[in-house]
Amino acid sequence: MRMHITLALQNLRMRKFRTAGIACAIAIASATLFISLVLTLSMSTSLRLSMAQLGADVMVVPASAESSAEGVLLGAKPVRWHLSYTYAEELEKIEGVEAASPLAFVEPPRECCSLRGVVLVGFDPARDFIVMPWIHRAGGLGRMQVFAGSEYALTPGSQVELYGYRFRIAGRMEPTGIPYFDRGIFMPLSTLYLLTQRGGGDLREGQVSVIMLRLSPGADAERVAEAIEFNFPELKAVVAQRALANVRNQMHLLLGSLLVLSGVIWGTAILLISVILSMSVRERMREFGILRALGATRRFIFGYLMAEVCILATLGGALGVGAGYLLLSQVSGYISASLGIPYPMPDRLYAGLLSVGVIDLALLLSTLASILPAYRSSRLEPYHAIRAGE
Amino acid sequence: MLVSVNNLTKIYRLGDYEVYAVRNVFLNIDRGEFVAVTGHSGSGKSTLLSLIGGLSKPTVGRVKIDGVDIWELGDEELSALRNRKIGFMFQFSSLLPTLSVRQNMLLPASLAGADEREAEARARELLEQVGMEHRMHAYPWQLSGGEQRRVAVARAFMNHPELILADEPTGDLDEDSEALVMRMLRRMNREEGTAVLLVTHSRELAEQAERRLVMRRGRLLEVG
């Protein structure tokens, strides 16, 4: 085996152009596959997480905010409207509504806070069913205490400065895949109002961004939404399942196209590898004949060619995965913005497993593409192979 | 008896035609014997060598080396026999272009699973004999045609073969290189007892052998 690898490496090193050609074909195919898989899996996870973490069945926003409501539900688009807190009390009276939780989102100016890109999230501790379960698990929220999103490496007890005030971190959330939550600093609405008044923000006391509704068991979300819009024409009720289905359909269309593209690229790459190897076998017939004359078995010749392909596939696969990861990390913001849903980069373990999977697949497909040329070269009659090169 | 060839025939089919490359050849070669085969181009000399060396399968007939019918062996055994008992010299540069002189020399020993240190020493010794020890790390494309052939000749002796099958090993070489190759063949034949079957156009070279044969239209004739 060591000799196969030595010979294969030497051959790849000396035939740089062919090596680069095959490795590039494998790299492009692997990168496309890696990107498609990461996007598919990450976004599916993100949607699942959003549903589960929010725990809301209906989201209420001003009627004018309808077009970007789905983006808000998934937390990828900024909130640029306000509605009155009092709607929470009114909405709870509608049949089928079990709880109403008002939330206010504020993206403060950069200079206000010691954290960059932070989102301040205000909630009503008396009504909330979205943030409070996390806070309860961490042991509650004291005076001048806030709760941190998962994106910040803040340990409980550490401090954060917001609008000149120092707050102590009471706990940290699990990653949710929702930017408003992961980049959020959570505090009671009353605290948020005080801070924004001091900082000159446009959120006034009594205003919130959205009201999340949890429905009673068995309640029909569509009917509740209709009732809300009938009673409050100035509001829009977004049913979570419907909004997610719309996003999911959009996403599936895009990802389906990506996977088809990846399949086409892999098909082309397999064909290319097979053709290049077949040409290479013809060009190297004398080499194989000489090796056979020196005592190499058919199995050795087959193994030698397969070792070459395996090295190329690993190299190309690794390059492709690396390039795919880099590309994704550069354009993740753009993807998220254009699809209107959060796009969390996969964590290291997840990305590592996916990389190994893609490289293994590259190995498998490249091996399949090269079996026939390698088999043919191993079956050549040595004398014929030597003479063919003359 | 090292080599015993019995009624060896090789027929190539070209469409409806059958071409006899080698026809009913009988030949015995003893251990340490030096045999030369001459003949015109296309008379079947190279084909005969390939049949004896197990590089091509005969249509009819048997080849025995050390009493073993080589065409009764499986690929593993036949390859091992080629590796350990036969050294090939071709009428062209047979060095692998992607390997250095040293790596080319070590190839037969590596295939045999030989001890690396011993193989290194043997390679150095043989390269010294052909005056190529100073080009150990050069690649074939950095050598002249004559130098490449000298390395290939040295490589044929790496595994202490019992039989050398030399197909025009001095073809298109300059006089000095030709003399060097022939000196090496005679020395190995004499000192290591390696049998040599030399195919050549040159009568002069053939006369250096103990026994001379001529091939005509695939048939082998003994001339002295």
Side-chain angles (χ1 to χ4, degrees):
Chain A
M1 194 61 197
R2 191 177 139 216
M3 200 175 165
H4 290 110
I5 293 170
T6 310
L7 275 179
L9 280 174
Q10 194 76 3
N11 189 53
L12 294 175
R13 202 165 64 87
M14 298 300 280
R15 291 182 164 103
K16 289 188 179 80
F17 192 69
R18 188 173 61 87
T19 303
I22 297 181
C24 276
I26 297 172
I28 291 169
S30 302
T32 321
L33 182 66
F34 181 76
I35 289 171
S36 309
L37 286 176
V38 168
L39 284 177
T40 308
L41 298 173
S42 292
M43 287 185 177
S44 300
T45 308
S46 163
L47 284 178
R48 267 202 318 277
L49 278 170
S50 306
M51 292 276 295
Q53 309 288 7
L54 286 176
D57 302 305
V58 176
M59 180 179 71
V60 179
V61 294
S64 56
E66 185 195 358
S67 62
S68 39
E70 288 164 6
V72 173
L73 183 70
L74 293 161
K77 288 189 177 175
V79 177
R80 307 218 181 279
W81 65 82
H82 303 300
L83 70 161
S84 169
Y85 173 91
T86 53
Y87 280 118
E89 291 155 7
E90 299 295 323
L91 290 170
E92 271 183 348
K93 292 173 188 162
I94 288 179
E95 194 182 340
V97 176
E98 189 180 82
S101 170
L103 292 177
F105 301 114
V106 172
E107 292 184 69
R110 194 179 280 184
E111 60 277 8
C112 89
C113 314
S114 55
L115 300 169
R116 294 189 81 186
V118 69
V119 178
L120 304 182
V121 185
F123 59 92
D124 180 354
R127 293 179 178 276
D128 184 80
F129 56 84
I130 291 176
V131 187
M132 282 311 284
W134 304 63
I135 293 175
H136 283 310
R137 277 202 292 273
L141 202 62
R143 197 173 165 274
M144 293 306 278
Q145 282 192 338
V146 290
F147 218 74
S150 64
E151 207 161 287
Y152 303 111
L154 296 168
T155 50
S158 60
Q159 288 195 335
V160 61
E161 192 178 318
L162 305 169
Y163 291 101
Y165 293 102
R166 286 189 173 275
F167 289 87
R168 195 171 291 279
I169 301 294
R172 203 169 144 220
M173 291 212 177
E174 296 291 319
T176 64
I178 307 167
Y180 276 171
F181 276 50
D182 292 343
R183 286 191 279 123
I185 293 292
F186 299 83
M187 61 192 74
L189 272 170
S190 52
T191 311
L192 184 64
Y193 292 144
L194 281 173
L195 287 181
T196 48
Q197 274 165 20
R198 185 188 160 93
D202 58 354
L203 181 79
R204 297 199 190 127
E205 189 161 352
Q207 285 184 326
V208 293
S209 304
V210 295
I211 298 173
M212 300 293 193
L213 303 182
R214 190 174 66 207
L215 304 187
S216 317
D220 182 340
E222 294 288 350
R223 283 205 172 174
V224 171
E226 274 172 26
I228 292 169
E229 287 177 10
F230 180 78
N231 289 307
F232 305 98
E234 69 279 19
L235 298 182
K236 183 79 196 169
V238 181
V239 178
Q241 292 288 358
R242 196 196 328 146
L244 286 170
N246 287 345
V247 174
R248 189 176 284 144
N249 286 345
Q250 257 184 318
M251 192 190 83
H252 282 176
L253 197 70
L254 176 87
L255 296 176
S257 314
L258 259 177
L259 283 173
V260 168
L261 177 71
S262 169
V264 170
I265 291 178
W266 261 115
T268 315
I270 288 172
L271 197 70
L272 192 75
I273 293 166
S274 194
V275 169
I276 293 179
L277 272 182
S278 297
M279 282 165 59
S280 159
V281 164
R282 217 167 298 152
E283 174 199 314
R284 294 163 64 189
M285 274 170 89
R286 178 181 279 183
E287 178 188 339
F288 299 136
I290 290 165
L291 274 168
R292 298 278 280 131
L294 293 176
T297 59
R298 284 183 189 139
R299 208 169 55 174
F300 181 91
I301 301 291
F302 184 81
Y304 167 33
L305 268 175
M306 294 314 287
E308 263 186 48
V309 173
C310 287
I311 293 168
L312 278 173
T314 311
L315 181 76
L319 275 175
V321 164
Y325 193 85
L326 270 180
L327 188 70
L328 274 178
S329 58
Q330 294 300 309
V331 300
S332 60
Y334 175 76
I335 296 169
S336 181
S338 58
L339 284 175
I341 56 173
Y343 167 68
M345 277 298 279
D347 62 39
R348 279 186 192 168
L349 177 72
Y350 183 71
L353 287 173
L354 209 57
S355 307
V356 171
V358 170
I359 293 170
D360 281 350
L361 192 75
L363 262 169
L364 178 75
L365 294 178
S366 307
T367 304
L368 286 177
S370 52
I371 278 181
L372 194 64
Y375 178 75
R376 278 192 187 143
S377 60
S378 72
R379 304 300 295 184
L380 289 169
E381 187 180 69
Y383 183 60
H384 172 69
I386 291 167
R387 294 300 294 257
E390 282 180 22
Chain B
M1 188 80 62
L2 179 67
V3 180
S4 166
V5 172
N6 194 354
N7 193 28
L8 204 61
T9 299
K10 177 76 177 182
I11 303 170
Y12 289 110
R13 292 181 205 285
L14 297 171
D16 293 337
Y17 295 96
E18 285 188 342
V19 178
Y20 280 77
V22 172
R23 183 184 282 224
N24 308 115
V25 167
F26 291 83
L27 172 68
N28 290 329
I29 300 173
D30 284 328
R31 286 177 194 285
E33 197 178 5
F34 197 134
V35 181
V37 179
T38 55
H40 295 301
S41 296
S43 59
K45 308 182 297 291
S46 297
T47 307
L48 177 65
L49 244 59
S50 75
L51 295 172
I52 294 173
L55 298 178
S56 179
K57 193 165 188 173
T59 313
V60 178
R62 286 168 182 277
V63 177
K64 286 186 177 176
I65 293 180
D66 251 351
V68 176
D69 186 339
I70 64 169
W71 291 108
E72 300 240 309
L73 298 174
D75 182 59
E76 301 275 335
E77 291 92 351
L78 179 56
S79 300
L81 182 137
R82 276 199 294 260
N83 177 244
R84 297 200 172 101
K85 296 203 169 180
I86 305 174
F88 289 93
M89 293 179 190
F90 298 100
Q91 48 188 311
F92 52 83
S93 165
S94 60
L95 300 183
L96 295 197
T98 56
L99 301 183
S100 67
V101 165
R102 177 182 159 275
Q103 290 168 323
N104 263 288
M105 287 296 292
L106 294 177
L107 197 52
S110 302
L111 286 168
D115 179 79
E116 267 181 51
R117 278 190 188 175
E118 281 177 27
E120 286 273 3
R122 174 78 171 163
R124 193 171 290 278
E125 174 200 329
L126 289 168
L127 284 174
E128 273 171 16
Q129 289 188 32
V130 291
M132 290 298 294
E133 74 283 5
H134 62 293
R135 305 304 306 274
M136 286 273 271
H137 300 290
Y139 282 87
W141 50 271
Q142 294 170 316
L143 305 176
S144 69
E147 286 176 320
Q148 290 182 35
R149 296 279 279 279
R150 275 147 66 181
V151 175
V153 165
R155 187 183 60 187
F157 289 100
M158 265 306 284
N159 287 352
H160 304 274
E162 292 173 33
L163 174 66
I164 286 286
L165 296 174
D167 188 3
E168 303 272 11
T170 60
D172 60 69
L173 281 189
D174 60 70
E175 278 182 16
D176 289 344
S177 295
E178 181 183 288
L180 195 139
V181 169
M182 287 307 292
R183 247 196 332 270
M184 182 150 188
L185 275 176
R186 282 200 309 274
R187 185 192 305 141
M188 289 300 189
N189 172 246
R190 197 173 56 242
E191 292 174 4
E192 296 196 0
T194 312
V196 178
L197 180 57
L198 170 72
V199 160
T200 177
H201 277 107
S202 162
R203 267 194 187 180
E204 246 177 72
L205 296 183
E207 277 168 7
Q208 297 183 32
E210 296 162 18
R211 186 151 61 110
R212 293 192 301 283
L213 307 165
V214 175
M215 272 205 97
R216 277 194 200 128
R217 293 184 180 175
R219 293 184 188 279
L220 193 64
L221 310 167
E222 194 123 358
V223 292

